[in-house]
Amino acid sequence: MRVNFTVNGRPYEADDVWEGESLLYVLRERMGLPGSKNACEQGECGSCTVRLDGDPVCACLVAAGQVEGRDVVTVEGLADYARQRAAGGCASGACGDAKNTGTSVDAAQRWEARPADSQTGEAAELSTVQQAFIDAGAVQCGFCTPGLLVAADELIERNPEPSDADIREALSGNLCRCTGYEKILDAVRLAAAREETQTAGTGA
Ligand code: FES
Ligand code: FES
């Protein structure tokens, strides 16, 4: 079967997709986007988390055929996604009621990645969440990190002032074998605080 969808704002056509093929397989093996990790392939670890029409999903559990006509954002496009959200004309809660609904399908469909760097993530300026993970020391082996970044960014978009309980709940599907989670919590708190400061600075 043939599947047409957008990844990080770019249209993509996958041919000869077999029925059991996952979105994760298409991203990693057909598109050369290895940011979304394949750890368990059973929906247990969250390392493959991407956004599908704005919602965080485990790409290993999504059949490729299910993404026909839909929009996917991977960690490679996260920085551009966040940048456009900050600009206010994007696939984000900034276009709607972020606290209650997160990204709408319409908003996600209006989002476009910048062509220069969003497909591979190379040379991309880091998003607030990405920088916060570095600054808080929340990355060790890094295998869980892409999924955590996507999930944490979605949380802050939906809930700009998350409590510790909110963070724990939002990241409960993302397993990390290295950090003990404290640094990850620090990173999300830091990202939320920085986003709040930036928003206050722009008067938004
Ligand atoms: S690889 Fe998808 S949840 Fe673990
Ligand atoms: S940093 Fe190694 S699994 Fe999380």
Side-chain angles (χ1 to χ4, degrees), residues 24 37-48 58-61:
L24 182 61
K37 299 301 179 217
N38 181 358
C40 72
E41 239 177 338
Q42 296 182 352
E44 299 285 348
C45 72
S47 65
C48 63
C58 291
C60 70
L61 292 184

Side-chain angles (χ1 to χ4, degrees), residues 140-144 176-179:
Q140 290 190 27
C141 82
F143 210 84
C144 66
C176 175
R177 65 184 177 181
C178 305
T179 63

Side-chain angles (χ1 to χ4, degrees), residues 10-200:
R10 293 189 193 179
Y12 180 73
E13 183 175 280
D15 270 327
D16 299 323
V17 173
W18 52 283
E19 281 183 14
E21 197 165 311
S22 69
L23 171 60
L24 182 61
Y25 182 91
V26 171
L27 292 172
R28 290 179 57 85
E29 309 301 333
R30 292 178 179 270
M31 300 190 64
L33 293 175
S36 310
K37 299 301 179 217
N38 181 358
C40 72
E41 239 177 338
Q42 296 182 352
E44 299 285 348
C45 72
S47 65
C48 63
T49 304
V50 299
R51 294 184 70 163
L52 179 60
D53 289 342
D55 295 324
V57 298
C58 291
C60 70
L61 292 184
V62 176
Q66 289 178 279
V67 302
E68 173 66 33
R70 302 176 75 180
D71 293 280
V72 174
V73 178
T74 70
V75 72
E76 287 91 344
L78 188 64
D80 268 353
Y81 186 88
R83 192 175 300 113
Q84 293 194 34
R85 174 176 60 219
C90 64
S92 75
C95 306
D97 184 350
K99 269 191 187 298
N100 296 325
T101 61
T103 303
S104 70
V105 174
D106 284 350
Q109 288 170 345
R110 288 198 296 274
W111 177 72
E112 288 182 7
R114 292 188 309 173
D117 54 25
S118 61
Q119 203 64 3
T120 64
E122 288 177 20
E125 192 179 320
L126 297 180
S127 69
T128 302
V129 165
Q130 288 169 314
Q131 190 62 53
F133 268 63
I134 294 171
D135 294 344
V139 181
Q140 290 190 27
C141 82
F143 210 84
C144 66
T145 307
L148 278 163
L149 290 170
V150 173
D153 185 72
E154 191 275 339
L155 166 66
I156 295 172
E157 174 184 301
R158 173 167 50 82
N159 178 0
E161 297 175 23
S163 65
D164 281 2
D166 294 334
I167 298 170
R168 288 176 191 275
E169 182 180 350
L171 303 185
S172 60
N174 294 79
L175 303 184
C176 175
R177 65 184 177 181
C178 305
T179 63
Y181 298 100
E182 278 306 320
K183 298 290 187 186
I184 292 170
L185 285 170
D186 286 346
V188 180
R189 293 184 195 112
L190 181 60
R194 285 176 174 172
E195 289 275 353
E196 188 177 40
T197 304
Q198 286 166 12
T199 302

